[in-house]
Amino acid sequence: MTFGDQEFPYGPPDRYAQFAAEQDRIEQDRVEQDRIMQDRIMQDRIRRRRRNRRVAVAGVGAVLVAAVAAGVVTAAGGDDRGGPAAAPPAGTATPSASGPAVPSVDAGLPSNAPSALPSLLARPVIRPEQAFPSKSVRVGDGSRYSRVDLATTTACGRGMSAELAELIEQGEECARLTAALFTDADRRSQITVTVLSFARVEDASRVFMMASMDPVTYQVVSLDPPPEAGMPTVPPGSAGVFRRVMTVRSVVFANGQWGDGSETGEAELTAQTEGLLRHVNETVVAYEDGEAEGSG
């Protein structure tokens, strides 16, 4: 219900109240139109890259509980390279004929969660221009990358695998998904970094846990380069590097591939993917911890 829909049982409002109500209605209409436009852009730019591969990562539970208690997860171990088909990881549901069955996952806050957590969650989720403020970035090792595309949506299911979307439905819906496509100085690599933000920590924890256990099934999609970038579209089924970290209320994903689909240069591609992931993670953490300008 907007202000324009409300009744005033205690007599007619004054002119100022009428003006304020009309301005609020106009602003809500503007926000809704912006959301619709952003969703359309996101739908046009992303595609689903489905691969029949499974990769298991051990020891996620202990890392997750300890990290959430500290307020941030800064690393996810394991080898997340895309490769030949492997057996499903132990402990997951048996795949059905229509695709992998999504298990029911209970995720909650540990008893020793930081006392500052409620105030941190009271802040708005990070906006696209805050997560990816620059078109040119320099990471910790001095390497430079160009941002060639940026897309955002609140209809998060459009930017991820069906299994990940189904997993998210077990809790509260995702608040916002923002993805940026980067390339290196030679314009060989294509690395999509995605920030998936939630209202609740436990919903982010659920996604991080399952994406760490099975990074190919529970993945966000990679952006295709726009025509004006002059870059090739990565061939479907190409090998890639998958990494993710968890912040206070977001999961940051990084999907790295060579533009020509090459399977060589794995170490270099991994370094690029992890370098960009760390860079964006630091930006998101600074905002969510209240350290970045404009984070309040």
Side-chain angles (χ1 to χ4, degrees), residues 5 25 29 68 100 142 173 175 194 211 225 240 243 249 258 267 292:
D5 297 325
R25 184 191 64 77
D29 288 346
V68 171
E173 63 184 11
T194 302
R243 295 291 188 269
R249 68 193 307 172
W258 295 120

Side-chain angles (χ1 to χ4, degrees), residues 44-268:
D44 289 341
R45 289 178 175 177
I46 65 177
R47 71 161 186 261
R48 300 184 183 278
R49 290 174 174 169
R50 306 299 299 277
R51 305 176 180 87
N52 295 321
R53 297 192 292 269
R54 303 285 187 273
V55 183
V57 178
V60 174
V63 173
L64 180 62
V65 171
V68 171
V72 58
V73 172
T74 57
D79 182 0
D80 299 348
R81 293 169 293 165
T92 60
T94 302
S96 64
S98 59
V102 177
S104 177
V105 181
D106 291 329
L109 292 176
S111 59
N112 58 343
S115 59
L117 187 58
S119 62
L120 297 179
L121 296 178
R123 297 189 179 98
V125 297
I126 192 167
R127 299 192 301 271
E129 66 273 16
Q130 294 168 323
F132 302 101
S134 303
K135 290 186 176 181
S136 178
V137 301
R138 182 176 180 177
V139 302
D141 64 359
S143 301
R144 293 185 178 275
Y145 300 88
S146 298
R147 193 189 76 202
V148 297
D149 202 6
L150 179 67
T152 187
T153 182
T154 54
C156 303
R158 297 178 179 178
M160 61 185 63
S161 67
E163 292 82 6
L164 181 53
E166 184 177 344
L167 178 71
I168 289 175
E169 290 177 356
Q170 295 180 18
E172 293 186 9
E173 63 184 11
C174 155
R176 178 168 292 277
L177 181 152
T178 300
L181 176 62
F182 293 91
T183 188
D184 60 359
D186 296 328
R187 301 179 76 80
R188 291 184 58 226
S189 62
Q190 293 188 23
I191 302 171
T192 297
V193 183
T194 302
V195 180
L196 189 59
S197 299
F198 296 85
R200 305 191 311 166
V201 173
E202 46 267 55
D203 294 323
S205 299
R206 180 184 295 106
V207 167
F208 176 77
M209 180 172 62
M210 293 304 295
S212 296
M213 292 178 63
D214 194 344
V216 177
T217 296
Y218 300 99
Q219 68 166 296
V220 294
V221 301
S222 299
L223 293 176
D224 285 336
E228 60 269 22
M231 297 167 57
T233 298
V234 178
S238 299
V241 175
F242 305 90
R243 295 291 188 269
R244 76 224 53 84
V245 295
M246 180 178 164
T247 64
V248 174
R249 68 193 307 172
S250 302
V251 182
V252 185
F253 295 83
N255 300 348
Q257 295 177 292
W258 295 120
D260 60 2
S262 174
E263 296 185 7
T264 61
E266 176 189 324
E268 182 182 359

